[in-house]
Amino acid sequence: DAGVTQSPTHLIKTRGQQVTLRCSPKSGHDTVSWYQQALGQGPQFIFQYYEEEERQRGNFPDRFSGHQFPNYSSELNVNALLLGDSALYLCASRTGTCMRNYGYTFGSGTRLTVV
Amino acid sequence: GQQLNQSPQSMFIQEGEDVSMNCTSSSIFNTWLWYKQDPGEGPVLLIALYKAGELTSNGRLTAQFGITRKDSFLNISASIPSDVGIYFCAFVNFGNEKLTFGTGTRLTIIP
């Protein structure tokens, strides 16, 4: 049973460019959250998608946007990349039906480097 | 905003030693989570705590939800090489999807 799958694993972009990261949730999961993890820090919540809608958002600018598809997979888009956007981007999924189920399954992440 | 202090930042121990780390927050929360992250991987949930005073074990790991609901600790007994990694605490409130993570404790085992 595949867990959370993220692609690509590594990416190098130039400042000002746009990037799209992809996530397939664990089988049976319908809720997807995205996190940004800077080097030496804990993950920071970007936003969460459920039923193809953004349900909650962290303290990130509008340059960060997302989408969830009918098959529950999700994309994270970042526009006008800054050097400070360099980080590990993690996708986490869970089933949204149990309010006390915080057993999120995390993917291995996409390492984004902005030069 | 809510602050989460995790200590120590790093630990260097010998195999077989016991380990203890803790997290304190400036606010009250109703769920504490402990995660471990290996290099090149995402965090993996170790233990979830839902009630003040709750003490939960998972093999050699034991975690407790502080009675004030503002702190939690994680103990690892008889450490082994595969315990190496970064341990994160995180908190969340019911109805809120945002996990707030601490800055992590890096555990290294000295040969």
Side-chain angles (χ1 to χ4, degrees), chain B residues 38-88:
Chain B
D38 292 327
E41 300 292 331
V44 174
L45 181 66
L46 300 174
I47 292 179
L49 302 160
Y50 299 107
K51 290 173 56 177
E54 180 180 357
L55 184 70
T56 298
S57 293
N58 178 7
R60 295 177 296 105
L61 277 61
T62 302
Q64 184 160 28
F65 193 150
I67 199 71
T68 65
R69 295 171 63 191
K70 289 186 176 183
D71 61 344
S72 177
F73 72 74
L74 174 70
N75 288 339
I76 305 173
S77 63
S79 58
I80 60 177
S82 62
D83 291 334
V84 167
I86 303 176
Y87 291 80
F88 290 99

Side-chain angles (χ1 to χ4, degrees), chain B residues 10-31:
Chain B
S10 59
M11 302 183 73
F12 297 86
I13 63 168
Q14 291 189 320
E15 185 176 348
E17 286 188 25
D18 296 342
V19 170
S20 183
M21 61 190 77
N22 67 81
C23 276
T24 58
S25 71
S26 56
S27 303
I28 292 174
F29 295 95
N30 50 34
T31 301

Side-chain angles (χ1 to χ4, degrees), chain A residues 33-112:
Chain A
S33 296
W34 287 92
Y35 287 79
Q36 179 195 66
Q37 187 175 22
L39 204 60
Q41 301 294 319
Q44 300 280 322
F45 177 77
I46 303 175
F47 43 51
Q48 185 212 49
Y49 278 84
Y50 174 64
E51 293 186 335
E52 302 179 48
E53 290 186 3
E54 183 183 293
R55 295 295 177 139
Q56 191 171 348
R57 188 178 184 93
N59 189 24
F60 279 81
D62 291 344
R63 297 187 297 109
F64 289 77
S65 63
H67 189 77
Q68 186 179 34
F69 299 94
N71 67 352
Y72 309 122
S73 67
S74 177
E75 288 182 349
L76 165 65
N77 300 294
V78 187
N79 294 323
L81 284 167
L82 304 174
L83 296 179
D85 294 332
S86 296
L88 181 68
Y89 288 85
L90 294 163
C91 173
S93 72
R94 74 176 184 100
T95 174
T97 57
C98 179
M99 285 301 295
R100 293 193 66 171
N101 173 21
Y102 289 106
Y104 288 94
T105 300
F106 281 82
S108 298
T110 294
R111 171 72 62 188
L112 173 65

